[in-house]
Amino acid sequence: ALTRSIHVADEEVRASAVLLSQTQALTEVAESTNDYFKRARDAGAATGIQANLALAGLQAIRLDAVRAEGRVRQARQALNALLGLPPTVELPLGPGADPSVHEALGATPDELTRQAVERRPDLAALRARYQAAEEGVRLAVSKQCPQVSLGTGLSLTLPFFSKFGRPEMRTAMAKREQLHREFTAAVHAARQEIAAAHTLWQFAERELELVENELLPNAEENLELSREAFEAGEVTLLETLALQRALVEARTRHTEARAVRSKRAWELLAASGWLLGASQENNTNNEEDLKR
């Protein structure tokens, strides 16, 4: 759970930083536009409404910048809390991993559930306890049989005083049944968790594909066409700036969609046991490298 939370928090830090950078770039454009319309209004080349609209656009973008800065700070604090660091520490982040390329994401929920039984520590622990209880039942059953010993002679001991092990066997079987129910319930809960995580990941993948293939290219093409039309005098500067804002919003949505897909992928890998397994494999490889 901690590993999953750190990966998700890391994605939030990176996405919020990108959004802040995009907002800052748009603020610079809005400021230059506002200055242009102020001068144009003073010179009588623009109306007061146009100047006020440009100022309103700048104020809205400045508000977005404040929110983006707050989001970055909150994301940093959340990540630091998970890592046990003070809130004010500016932890430098290396290149982030892309979980969407993990081979496990190509498996079905049923396949991931079967893999989770082997890879998730909580399920593996329950499974080991059930297997130990199964061996306890076998041991109790074996004590029902007469014990033969060889010494100076042959002796036969009957488990008469232990009522032929029946109380011990009933206790062992009850314990095995209880652990069987706990294990079955845990697998059922894991199956539900994996199915939900798989659904969220699929929809995040589809949303990102739609943004990348349709929304973002359309916004970029509209802005390019508006620039050509502005040079020809067919559209106003405000209309061009509105399309430019639409492009920035499309890029913002693209950044958000990429972050959401990565978060959903980390959650699915964690639910199916692959996230911690990958970390353990990396640790093993690092130990082997140190030995060599």
Side-chain angles (χ1 to χ4, degrees):
L2 177 62
T3 306
R4 175 195 59 205
S5 299
I6 289 175
H7 279 292
V8 172
D10 176 73
E11 293 293 344
E12 176 63 18
V13 171
R14 296 178 188 278
S16 60
V18 172
L19 292 175
L20 177 59
S21 177
Q22 292 175 346
T23 306
Q24 290 172 341
L26 182 58
T27 301
E28 295 177 0
V29 175
E31 287 176 346
S32 62
T33 303
N34 183 59
D35 293 339
Y36 168 81
F37 275 98
K38 285 175 60 178
R39 294 192 301 268
R41 182 191 58 188
D42 295 339
T47 65
I49 293 179
Q50 289 176 326
N52 287 339
L53 288 175
L55 178 60
L58 174 60
Q59 293 171 340
I61 294 171
R62 284 176 175 172
L63 181 59
D64 291 341
V66 172
R67 291 173 178 171
E69 186 176 356
R71 178 173 174 177
V72 170
R73 187 174 302 179
Q74 289 178 337
R76 282 281 186 178
Q77 291 175 353
L79 179 59
N80 287 351
L82 291 171
L83 298 175
L85 298 174
T88 56
V89 172
E90 288 288 337
L91 183 68
L93 300 179
D98 184 7
S100 62
V101 299
H102 199 287
E103 59 181 0
L105 298 181
T108 64
D110 288 340
E111 293 171 340
L112 291 175
T113 301
R114 288 193 293 269
Q115 295 166 6
V117 173
E118 299 290 339
R119 305 187 69 90
R120 278 181 50 161
D122 54 340
L123 297 181
L126 278 174
R127 184 181 183 185
R129 290 176 60 193
Y130 172 76
Q131 291 174 341
E134 180 70 26
E135 294 300 323
V137 172
R138 294 180 182 179
L139 178 61
V141 171
S142 67
K143 290 182 178 181
Q144 288 185 308
C145 302
Q147 302 296 317
V148 180
S149 60
L150 294 175
T152 56
L154 180 63
S155 63
L156 180 65
T157 303
L158 297 176
F160 176 77
F161 295 101
S162 63
K163 299 181 181 179
F164 291 89
R166 285 192 295 270
E168 183 179 355
M169 187 178 67
R170 285 196 295 267
T171 301
M173 292 181 66
K175 182 178 181 181
R176 181 186 64 178
E177 180 64 20
Q178 177 186 357
L179 289 174
H180 179 267
R181 291 178 179 178
E182 291 179 6
F183 179 68
T184 302
V187 172
H188 178 70
R191 182 185 296 111
Q192 295 298 112
E193 181 183 359
I194 290 172
H198 191 270
T199 298
L200 291 175
W201 174 77
Q202 280 189 323
F203 279 101
E205 184 80 8
R206 288 171 56 185
E207 181 178 352
L208 177 60
E209 182 180 357
L210 181 62
V211 172
E212 286 184 339
N213 296 337
E214 298 185 27
L215 181 62
L216 188 58
N218 183 65
E220 292 175 345
E221 183 180 3
N222 286 341
L223 180 59
E224 186 62 31
L225 292 175
S226 70
R227 287 172 178 171
E228 297 175 359
F230 176 74
E231 294 175 356
E234 297 176 356
V235 296
T236 65
L237 181 58
L238 281 177
E239 290 173 329
T240 302
L241 292 176
L243 291 173
Q244 185 171 1
R245 177 63 186 266
L247 174 59
V248 173
E249 291 176 351
R251 289 175 177 171
T252 299
R253 191 164 185 177
H254 179 237
T255 302
E256 293 276 16
R258 286 182 62 88
V260 170
R261 184 190 64 170
S262 295
K263 292 177 183 178
R264 297 294 181 254
W266 289 124
E267 291 168 354
L268 179 56
L269 291 175
S272 56
W274 280 97
L275 182 58
L276 190 58
S279 301
Q280 291 173 339
E281 291 170 3
N282 291 336
N283 291 336
T284 302
N285 293 336
N286 293 337
E287 292 175 0
E288 293 178 353
D289 292 339
L290 289 175
K291 292 178 180 179
R292 287 197 294 266

